[in-house]
Amino acid sequence: MIHLFTTKLNKMIEPVKKRFTRNRLKTRAVFAIVMLVVFPAGGMLAAAEFTDQSALAMLLCLHFSLCIAMCMPLAGWLEEIMANRELRRMNSFCVKLKQGKLDQRLELYPHKIGTVTDEIIRLQHNLNWLAHSVAKREHKLTQSLVKTRRDKERLNLLSYTDHLTGLFNKRFFELKLVEACSRCISCKTPLHLMLIDCDHFKEVNDQFGHQEGDRLLANLGQIIDSSVRNGTDFPFRFGGDEFGAILVGVDSTRCEQIAERIRTRFSDMKVGRASLSIGISKLCRHADDPETEADSLIATADKALYFAKNTGRDKVISPARFREISQQN
């Protein structure tokens, strides 16, 4: 019961104590100086009429000696009460700002700003506004960095993308083929390279116009993209009417089926005499150098492609088919 009463009494007294110790520090300092210096001196002067001169002189000397002795402790006490305590809080606040803790705020004096504003309160206000401004600017900077990162990713994607078909371009193909070869060699995963050429494309341009030719290439790009697996296989456009795809993790039979589906779907469009010749090459099981194997894949697929074009066009030549026809000849 006594403890509860004491707690409530302390809560009631605390605002009064804060108001006295913080809002009236200047009055308190003046009061201390008057009590320690002026009142004793005035009292001794008033007592001069009732004491002899020698006793008065001794009291004055004692008083001034005590005043001199109390100067340093009094100055330190006033400095601690009036400034150091709050300066330590503000220094700790600045250290936290330096560490990036921008969500904190200084607790201000419970002081109503009047005609004369306490400098410490002004400093606390300014520090709080500084923290607010830094947090606001950091937020804007973070948003700007996020936007810059997105723009960079978008530009990188654009630099690797063919604008007409939306497929990857030759630059991306050259980088991705070596990377895919390296990964498949390490994991012993099958990899096939498919090169695709549009037969009689110049004739389509001459007969129907370049806009129709571009539309044909865009449709071919969509057919290739929808025929392979998104995120696993990589369709690309070399340029002009030359396309291709990197197929990862599929066997030769499945790869030939995909190529045949692309050829058939394109043939169903029936644009002039346009057709597809497709050459396929396969990653060697015993390959150990990704760059050398990438060059070999391109060369082999290119031979198969031109073999298809030179033997009647509109066909798929796989590695097995290429060896079979070569042996027959």
Side-chain angles (χ1 to χ4, degrees), residues 156-277:
N156 284 337
L157 181 61
L158 288 174
S159 68
Y160 290 137
T161 304
D162 175 64
H163 72 281
L164 177 62
T165 62
L167 302 181
F168 296 114
N169 59 18
K170 183 180 179 181
R171 178 186 176 191
F172 178 86
F173 162 75
E174 292 172 347
L175 297 174
K176 200 63 184 181
L177 181 61
V178 175
E179 179 187 325
C181 286
S182 177
R183 186 171 63 253
C184 290
I185 289 172
S186 300
C187 302
K188 304 299 181 182
T189 304
L191 180 145
H192 291 80
L193 173 63
M194 181 190 304
L195 294 184
I196 304 169
D197 186 82
C198 184
D199 304 320
H200 307 294
F201 178 69
K202 185 177 183 301
E203 182 179 312
V204 172
N205 272 338
D206 293 341
Q207 183 176 354
F208 300 100
H210 288 281
Q211 289 185 341
E212 185 62 29
D214 287 346
R215 190 177 297 110
L216 178 70
L217 294 179
N219 290 334
L220 174 57
Q222 292 178 0
I223 291 173
I224 297 173
D225 188 48
S226 62
S227 299
V228 300
R229 298 163 297 172
N230 186 26
T232 303
D233 302 328
F234 303 98
F236 57 88
R237 180 190 180 197
F238 264 123
D241 59 343
E242 297 178 351
F243 292 77
I246 302 171
L247 305 178
V248 180
V250 296
D251 58 23
S252 297
T253 302
R254 178 60 178 159
C255 179
E256 191 170 352
Q257 290 173 350
I258 294 172
E260 190 62 38
R261 183 168 65 242
I262 292 172
R263 187 195 67 79
T264 303
R265 290 178 62 187
F266 182 80
S267 179
D268 291 341
M269 293 172 55
K270 301 186 183 308
V271 181
R273 292 199 303 158
S275 62
L276 295 181
S277 295

Side-chain angles (χ1 to χ4, degrees), residues 102-128:
L102 304 177
D103 57 342
Q104 59 172 338
R105 292 294 180 268
L106 272 172
E107 181 184 354
L108 301 179
Y109 280 166
H111 177 72
K112 295 181 180 179
I113 306 300
T115 55
V116 179
T117 304
D118 193 295
E119 291 299 322
I120 291 182
I121 296 177
R122 286 183 176 178
L123 181 57
Q124 288 179 331
H125 272 294
N126 291 335
L127 286 175
N128 280 338

